[in-house]
Amino acid sequence: MRFTSEQRLDDGVLEREFTLGEIPGILWTPPAPASAPASASVPAPASTPAPAPLILLGHPPLGLRRMYPRLVARALHCAAEGFATATIELPGSGDRPRWPAVERARADLRRAMEAGEPVGDEIIDALVLPLVDKAVPEWQAALDALLPLPGIGGPVGYSGGVISIGTRLAVVEPRVSAAVLFAGSFVPRAMFEEARQVTIPLHVLLQWDDEGNNRQAALDLFDAFGSEEKSLHAHMGGHTGVPQFAGDAAARFFTRHLT
């Protein structure tokens, strides 16, 4: 990991851009809590702040620059609760090399949706499964690099979409203790079997009128998750209409499970 820039944001949050090999990413860390002032007779105790729990911010494959306003808003919200957050660029997105096979699948998806045709399993598999196979090991490599940094520690949460990436990560990565999943992307049938292997606590967000999402598939995926603790939070509105209070509920979920 190599840090390439840093700046202070609102309320002292430190934003650092980094590269992990060819993968760009961003790390946000909350400011250290203020120490109690020393008095004339009692000096301030010397203490080291406890490491902040880490939340991985998932996002759709639209590029970090395009997603930055939403990502930094989520990061600042998490920092106010005492969490560090990090994200990485997904394969084939942003400044990373183009991925012809996935771009062909995206073109097929656009053609089907513009023609009003159902999106078949073949298109969904070609679009999502290669992304999951490549992105999840990259998230794990990011964890390897992030967790030893000063001021960051476990436990780890995952928040966001693509929901299939979060599902796979919840199955294969034991350092992830809880996840907030966004049900707003196509789900290959193979992911339903993986969902049955998920056991960590889940908080799933669903926009009821999401124009690009198969609502029934999202409900079926939620039903398939094997977690003993799982909750579904459905809100009226389209894909980008997630209400502010939904973020507050997700923050309370992570506070319960990561602190």
Side-chain angles (χ1 to χ4, degrees), residues 18-44:
F18 64 83
T19 57
L20 185 65
E22 66 170 16
I23 307 168
I26 309 174
L27 170 66
W28 294 272
T29 48
S35 301
S39 68
S41 57
V42 181

Side-chain angles (χ1 to χ4, degrees), residues 159-205:
S159 176
V162 175
I163 195 170
S164 294
I165 292 177
T167 299
R168 171 74 60 81
L169 200 59
V171 173
V172 304
E173 179 46 71
R175 291 172 291 185
V176 173
S177 301
V180 172
L181 301 178
F182 297 178
S185 52
F186 292 102
V187 181
R189 292 185 184 276
M191 297 307 302
F192 286 81
E193 184 56 40
E194 294 194 34
R196 295 182 179 92
Q197 303 173 48
V198 175
T199 59
I200 63 173
L202 296 179
H203 179 108
V204 181
L205 295 174

Side-chain angles (χ1 to χ4, degrees), residues 48-223:
T48 301
L54 177 65
I55 298 175
L56 305 177
L57 299 183
H59 54 90
L62 300 176
L64 283 185
R65 298 304 167 197
R66 181 173 172 183
M67 292 300 301
Y68 177 82
R70 296 186 206 174
L71 289 166
V72 72
R74 291 165 61 193
L76 291 174
H77 195 178
C78 290
E81 304 297 329
F83 299 118
T85 51
T87 192
I88 57 175
E89 188 75 85
L90 291 176
S93 299
D95 295 330
R96 296 189 63 179
R98 299 298 91 193
W99 196 351
V102 172
E103 291 192 344
R104 286 194 297 271
R106 289 174 182 166
D108 291 340
L109 173 65
R110 284 193 297 270
R111 281 193 293 270
M113 296 185 71
E114 289 170 358
E117 300 172 351
V119 180
D121 291 341
E122 184 177 349
I123 293 176
I124 295 173
D125 288 354
L127 181 69
V128 178
L129 291 179
L131 183 62
V132 173
D133 290 343
K134 190 167 184 179
V136 167
E138 292 180 351
W139 275 115
Q140 293 178 294
L143 270 182
D144 293 340
L146 290 164
L147 287 178
L149 294 176
I152 298 177
V156 176
Y158 177 86
S159 176
V162 175
I163 195 170
S164 294
I165 292 177
T167 299
R168 171 74 60 81
L169 200 59
V171 173
V172 304
E173 179 46 71
R175 291 172 291 185
V176 173
S177 301
V180 172
L181 301 178
F182 297 178
S185 52
F186 292 102
V187 181
R189 292 185 184 276
M191 297 307 302
F192 286 81
E193 184 56 40
E194 294 194 34
R196 295 182 179 92
Q197 303 173 48
V198 175
T199 59
I200 63 173
L202 296 179
H203 179 108
V204 181
L205 295 174
L206 171 64
Q207 286 301 104
W208 200 251
D209 304 305
D210 190 338
E211 58 280 0
N213 187 38
N214 183 326
R215 182 197 304 162
Q216 189 58 54
L219 295 173
D220 292 344
L221 183 67
F222 177 80
D223 190 48

